Amino acid sequence: MKNWIAVASADHVAIGHAQGFMQVCHGKVAPLRRLQAGDCVVYYSPTQTMASSASSFSSKNKLQNFTAIGTVRESVPYQVEMAPGFCPFRRDVDWLNAPPTSILSLLDQLEFSRGKKNWGYQLRFGLFEISAHDMALIAAAMSTDIKAPTQLQNQQADLLLEILED
């Protein structure tokens, strides 16, 4: 089991939260295939709405909040038609009820951002793995009791998979 940060506007996250799914990187399937059942995922929303123009990045649209946190369900990525010609991939998630929480007060405590001037660079990838420490810190800030997979649990799961494959 692993811990992940996904990136999307708060408006898009709200839709997925209400319907029990996640979607990343404009609906690409490859990032979703990296997730496994039981993985913890938290959404970071740099903005309230999706950027449709340069003005969308104005300070009025800026958010910089963690907006959803949950656990990936036992499922595989699946495709849906949202509009003619646009069929993004999704993954089912059990979302918790948690309040949006600013990332700004956590930047000097999170391992992925501590001491980094350009901490937001990796957010551009849309989905990236984080440590159990970071997930636990974010979960606490969001007032949830999600159980972030630890490094030891990850090693044990990897060992079990190796045994089963032999």
Side-chain angles (χ1 to χ4, degrees):
M1 293 184 292
K2 297 181 179 182
N3 301 290
W4 304 90
I5 289 181
V7 181
S9 72
D11 289 350
H12 282 149
V13 173
I15 294 167
H17 188 279
Q19 296 180 28
F21 71 86
M22 68 178 293
Q23 188 174 302
V24 295
C25 304
H26 305 288
K28 292 181 181 156
V29 70
L32 294 176
R33 287 185 178 143
R34 295 169 53 202
L35 303 170
Q36 300 297 318
D39 284 1
C40 296
V41 63
V42 62
Y43 259 108
Y44 170 75
S45 297
T47 59
Q48 182 64 44
T49 59
M50 185 176 132
S52 59
S53 68
S55 64
S56 294
F57 290 109
S58 71
S59 60
K60 293 178 186 176
N61 193 34
K62 186 186 277 188
L63 189 62
Q64 296 184 303
N65 279 354
F66 292 110
T67 50
I69 187 167
T71 306
V72 177
R73 286 191 212 153
E74 186 73 45
S75 66
V76 295
Y78 58 91
Q79 220 170 359
V80 296
E81 184 173 23
M82 288 185 64
F86 181 55
C87 301
F89 284 88
R90 295 178 174 174
R91 189 81 191 249
D92 290 335
V93 177
D94 289 320
W95 296 112
L96 300 173
N97 290 322
T101 302
S102 176
I103 192 175
L104 300 177
S105 63
L106 301 174
L107 289 175
D108 62 346
Q109 300 169 60
L110 295 167
E111 292 174 354
F112 81 86
S113 62
R114 187 181 320 135
K116 295 180 182 171
K117 183 179 178 182
N118 296 322
W119 59 268
Y121 181 77
Q122 58 200 328
L123 298 170
R124 297 176 68 203
F125 296 110
L127 181 73
F128 66 98
E129 189 176 350
I130 60 170
S131 68
H133 167 271
D134 283 0
M135 182 59 78
L137 188 66
I138 295 165
M142 294 181 80
S143 304
T144 67
D145 61 356
I146 196 164
K147 302 296 185 225
T150 66
Q151 179 103 16
L152 178 60
Q153 288 171 322
N154 289 340
Q155 291 170 346
Q156 290 170 338
D158 289 343
L159 180 60
L160 181 60
L161 284 174
E162 286 179 29
I163 292 168
L164 293 173
E165 289 175 354
D166 289 340

